């Protein structure tokens, strides 16, 4: 339909207005159909205004151009709102990460061997791409609690990040056994997927 509308402007309207050929009203109907579906499209309002102008309907054309300008302003306003929404979400996400990190550090200040705190910091470091730090925290978590299946997954990802695929495979294999014994099938399956990816 959009291609037909473009044809209508360049072919039907132009020919109809200047050479007595074609059907300019058909082009306007095509634009109206598109506007009914996409009523805030500045480009469509503008094209329809151009079509009307070529047909000599100046007042109607000016009205369409005004609608095009309003639609453009509305689109820009909406796009700005979307940008601001993304920014607010990112700020909230970052604030939550900082809160979690501070909580884990407070726990480690009380108990330097706490496995959950080391695991939490390790996961954050994996998300940040700070893989060497993640390896350190996750190895400490597993030394304190070798049954924490999620730690094997996180450590494997960290080892991949520091380009130690051999160690990562070994961690995943051990982690799959641990997860299977605990009934943690989702974590086991994710480690199997990572093993398969490393094999490729």
């Amino acid at each position: 339909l959009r291609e037909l509308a473009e044809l209508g402007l360049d072919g039907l309207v132009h020919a109809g207005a200047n050479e007595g050929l074609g059907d300019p009203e058909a082009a306007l109907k095509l634009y109206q159909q598109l506007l009914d579906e996409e009523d805030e499209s500045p480009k469509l309002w503008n094209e329809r205004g151009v079509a009307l102008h070529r047909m000599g309907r100046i007042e109607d054309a000016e009205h369409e151009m005004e609608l095009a300008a309003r639609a453009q302003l509305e689109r820009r306003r909406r796009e700005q709102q979307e940008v601001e929404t993304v920014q607010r979400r990112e700020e909230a996400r970052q604030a939550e990460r900082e809160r979690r990190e501070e909580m884990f550090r407070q726990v480690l200040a009380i108990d330097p061997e706490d496995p959950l705190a080391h695991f939490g910091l390790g996961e954050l470091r994996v998300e940040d791409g700070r893989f060497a730090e993640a390896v350190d925290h996750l190895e400490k978590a597993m030394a304190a609690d070798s049954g924490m299946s999620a730690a094997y997954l996180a450590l494997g990802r960290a080892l991949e990040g520091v380009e130690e695929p051999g160690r990562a495979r070994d961690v995943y294999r051990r982690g799959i056994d641990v997860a299977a014994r605990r009934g943690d099938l989702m974590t086991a399956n994710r480690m199997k997927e990572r093993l398969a990816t490393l094999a490729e």
Side-chain angles (χ1 to χ4, degrees), residues 142 152 155 169-179 181:
M142 290 168 59
Y152 289 86
L155 179 57
R169 282 192 290 268
D170 179 61
V171 167
Y172 287 139
R173 292 189 186 102
R174 289 188 286 123
I176 290 169
D177 291 337
V178 170
R181 288 197 300 271

Side-chain angles (χ1 to χ4, degrees), residues 37-48:
E37 299 172 8
E38 195 177 340
D39 63 354
E40 292 182 355
S41 171
K43 185 174 186 295
L44 290 175
W45 284 116
N46 190 66
E47 288 175 350
R48 185 172 155 86

Side-chain angles (χ1 to χ4, degrees), residues 99-148:
R99 185 195 66 79
R100 289 171 58 201
E101 179 164 348
E102 179 59 24
M103 178 184 68
F104 294 141
R105 292 197 177 281
Q106 288 177 2
V107 172
L108 289 177
I110 298 170
D111 180 4
E113 306 302 321
D114 186 89
L116 289 176
H118 278 299
F119 171 68
L121 283 174
E123 274 203 317
L124 289 176
R125 293 295 167 264
V126 170
E127 293 172 10
D128 291 339
R130 294 157 63 177
F131 299 114
E133 292 179 43
V135 169
D136 181 58
H137 282 295
L138 293 165
E139 286 181 335
K140 289 178 180 177
M142 290 168 59
D145 182 359
S146 61
M148 191 184 302

Side-chain angles (χ1 to χ4, degrees), residues 10 13 16 19 21 36 42 70 89 92 99 106 108 115 118 140-141 152 164 182 192 199:
D10 295 332
V13 173
E19 300 175 22
L21 302 173
D36 289 341
R70 290 179 183 177
R89 287 175 180 169
R99 185 195 66 79
Q106 288 177 2
L108 289 177
H118 278 299
K140 289 178 180 177
Y152 289 86
E164 293 192 36
R182 295 173 58 90
K192 289 177 182 177

